[in-house]
């Protein structure tokens, strides 16, 4: 009979010790992040999908060289560039990224000569079909520039160097000036 009451006392004591531990953790501040309502701090080395870098002038840095397209082992990058008539450089028209194929290797970001690509810090991408993960990065860069308060458009052309004036020559003279010889 004494053994019976010892077992009841031992069980009750064990229950009270367990309840004390549970109450102690229940009253502490939680360390769990309530995800949809609270945002998670991203580490600097996080690799999301790639994005075009937007300069302070409101335009991207891409020179349409195609190095990122050629170096991509997954073949998920497609560039479209045109050379306007009278222009020296190609102009980026579209930059397609198929994120369903991307292996996040970072070769495109490393190989870019103008550092026009960066990893995005978007971690909560959700879609109902695979087509939701086909990104057009020029449109995303335009939206990013507008969100920064910048006007989207190419930078104005650099002014040409002025040619030396012919004011050193006397009028009507066809001989070269002594400075030109």
């Amino acid at each position: 009979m004494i053994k019976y009451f010892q077992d009841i006392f031992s069980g009750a004591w064990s229950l009270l010790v367990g309840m004390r531990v549970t109450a102690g953790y229940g009253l502490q501040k939680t360390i769990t992040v309530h995800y949809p309502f609270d945002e998670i701090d991203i580490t600097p080395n996080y690799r999301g999908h790639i994005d075009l870098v937007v300069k302070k002038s409101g335009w991207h840095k891409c020179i349409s060289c195609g190095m990122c397209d050629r170096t991509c082992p997954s073949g998920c990058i497609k560039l479209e560039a045109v050379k306007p008539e009278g222009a020296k450089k190609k102009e980026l028209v579209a930059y397609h990224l198929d994120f369903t194929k991307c292996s996040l290797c970072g070769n495109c970001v490393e190989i870019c000569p103008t550092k026009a690509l960066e990893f995005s810090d978007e971690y909560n991408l959700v879609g109902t079909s695979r087509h939701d993960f086909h990104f057009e990065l020029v449109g995303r860069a335009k939206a990013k520039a507008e969100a920064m308060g910048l006007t989207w458009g190419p930078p104005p052309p650099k002014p040409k160097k002025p040619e030396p004036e012919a004011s050193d020559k006397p009028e009507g003279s066809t001989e070269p000036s002594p400075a030109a010889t």
Side-chain angles (χ1 to χ4, degrees):
M1 180 93 165
I2 294 177
K3 174 110 170 82
Y4 175 74
F5 287 113
Q6 284 179 340
D7 286 345
I8 290 177
F9 180 73
S10 172
W13 182 254
S14 167
L15 179 66
L16 289 174
V17 169
M19 294 292 279
R20 189 185 79 193
V21 170
T22 303
Y25 280 109
L27 297 175
Q28 289 180 357
K29 184 179 177 183
T30 59
I31 58 172
T32 304
V33 175
H34 302 286
Y35 167 62
F37 307 109
D38 298 335
E39 292 292 321
I40 300 171
D41 293 331
I42 306 266
T43 60
N45 57 352
Y46 176 75
R47 287 184 173 191
H49 63 84
I50 59 171
D51 259 340
L52 285 172
V53 174
V54 177
K55 296 189 289 187
K56 290 184 173 114
S57 64
W59 193 243
H60 55 78
K61 293 176 157 184
C62 184
I63 57 172
S64 307
C65 65
M67 291 293 291
C68 52
D69 189 7
R70 289 190 294 274
T71 194
C72 182
S74 305
C76 62
I77 297 174
K78 300 290 179 239
L79 290 173
E80 292 179 28
V82 295
K83 186 173 181 183
E85 193 170 325
K88 292 182 180 180
K89 298 178 182 179
K90 292 190 286 184
E91 188 174 302
L92 185 65
V93 176
Y95 195 111
H96 302 285
L97 171 68
D98 184 359
F99 193 53
T100 59
K101 295 179 183 177
C102 184
S103 61
L104 297 173
C105 63
N107 289 347
C108 54
V109 175
E110 292 174 14
I111 198 75
C112 184
T114 59
K115 304 296 180 208
L117 295 174
E118 66 183 356
F119 287 111
S120 170
D121 57 356
E122 282 188 58
Y123 62 89
N124 51 0
L125 292 174
V126 179
T128 56
S129 73
R130 64 180 169 199
H131 301 293
D132 294 338
F133 300 103
H134 292 220
F135 300 124
E136 209 296 295
L137 297 185
V138 174
R140 288 176 61 91
K142 181 178 180 181
K144 187 191 298 185
E146 290 173 354
M148 293 168 49
L150 304 171
T151 56
W152 180 256
K158 294 180 182 176
K160 295 181 180 179
K161 293 181 182 177
E163 295 183 16
E165 296 181 17
S167 62
D168 295 338
K169 293 184 194 178
E171 286 189 31
S173 171
T174 56
E175 295 180 11
S177 65
T181 56

